[in-house]
Amino acid sequence: LTRRILLQQEDWDKWRESEFTQLDQYAKQKLFGDPCPIKSKSAVFNLIWTYVIKELDGRKKARCTCDGSTRAGQVRVLDHTFANSIDQTGSRIFYAVAAAENLLVFGADVSNAFGEAPPPKQGFYIRPDKAFTEWFLVRHGKKIPEGWVVPVLAAMQGHPESPRLWERHCTVHEPCLYYGHIEG
């Protein structure tokens, strides 16, 4: 699904609402700074939107990431990009202990997880697209001047360093094995 096609559909208002939901979540995390003029030699990334209909409940979901690929020509990776995954031994020990203790194990997804992590060493900006500028006008009552960019103040999905930054932010012991207290 592309925005151009979705704009022509009867249910466009639901897709636009989904874009706004995504950007509202980022705003709540304080992911973006105030729009500003571009500085020379700044790394500026385009936004990439993906649109899906969730199989389980038919919900329309818009997901916004930055294009941190090398084809964009802006990436200057200044730190490691590798992110771990739990190894087989750690996984087996975890499930064995959980079974021995008669514990429940839950899997979960974290919304906009990377936005909780600190920014990459390379400061970067996004080039606001149509979806972003519409959202900004509605939420802030201001137009973003032509040619201005928006600073990204935390890790953002799409930047090559973001997975490692998220892992470093949330891992205490075993890579990709986290715990938390939920409702007591």
Side-chain angles (χ1 to χ4, degrees), residues 3 6-7 9-17 19:
R3 191 172 204 261
L6 294 174
L7 279 165
Q9 308 235 358
E10 292 178 16
D11 60 354
W12 165 245
D13 57 325
K14 296 289 184 196
W15 289 107
R16 184 174 190 238
E17 185 179 310
E19 288 177 344

Side-chain angles (χ1 to χ4, degrees), residues 2-160:
T2 66
R3 191 172 204 261
R4 186 174 52 95
I5 291 170
L6 294 174
L7 279 165
Q8 301 168 19
Q9 308 235 358
E10 292 178 16
D11 60 354
W12 165 245
D13 57 325
K14 296 289 184 196
W15 289 107
R16 184 174 190 238
E17 185 179 310
S18 182
E19 288 177 344
F20 279 31
T21 297
Q22 169 72 98
L23 293 169
D24 287 342
Q25 289 172 347
Y26 281 152
K28 186 176 181 181
Q29 290 178 294
K30 297 179 177 33
L31 186 70
F32 302 118
D34 294 328
C36 60
I38 190 169
K39 297 175 183 152
S40 65
K41 298 186 182 177
S42 295
V44 182
F45 298 106
N46 292 318
L47 293 176
I48 297 175
W49 286 91
T50 54
Y51 301 90
V52 297
I53 298 173
K54 292 292 198 170
E55 290 263 344
L56 189 61
D57 58 7
R59 185 171 33 107
K60 293 166 177 40
K61 180 156 182 168
R63 187 80 176 125
C64 178
T65 62
C66 71
D67 185 357
S69 68
T70 53
R71 74 172 178 262
Q74 295 290 315
V75 156
R76 290 184 296 276
V77 178
L78 303 176
D79 209 340
H80 300 287
T81 60
F82 174 77
N84 287 308
S85 61
I86 189 167
D87 66 14
Q88 189 174 22
T89 303
S91 177
R92 286 181 171 184
I93 291 170
F94 170 74
Y95 287 115
V97 170
E101 296 290 327
N102 198 28
L103 299 172
L104 295 175
V105 175
F106 296 92
D109 188 11
V110 179
S111 294
N112 303 323
F114 292 162
E116 299 295 328
K121 286 183 179 179
Q122 172 195 20
F124 71 104
Y125 300 83
I126 53 129
R127 186 173 288 108
D129 62 2
K130 184 82 168 150
F132 191 96
T133 55
E134 288 174 7
W135 168 81
F136 195 85
L137 179 61
V138 169
R139 294 297 191 250
H140 298 281
K142 298 184 262 184
K143 284 186 173 184
I144 299 174
E146 187 70 32
W148 281 30
V149 294
V150 178
V152 180
L153 307 177
M156 184 177 185
Q157 187 170 349
H159 193 284

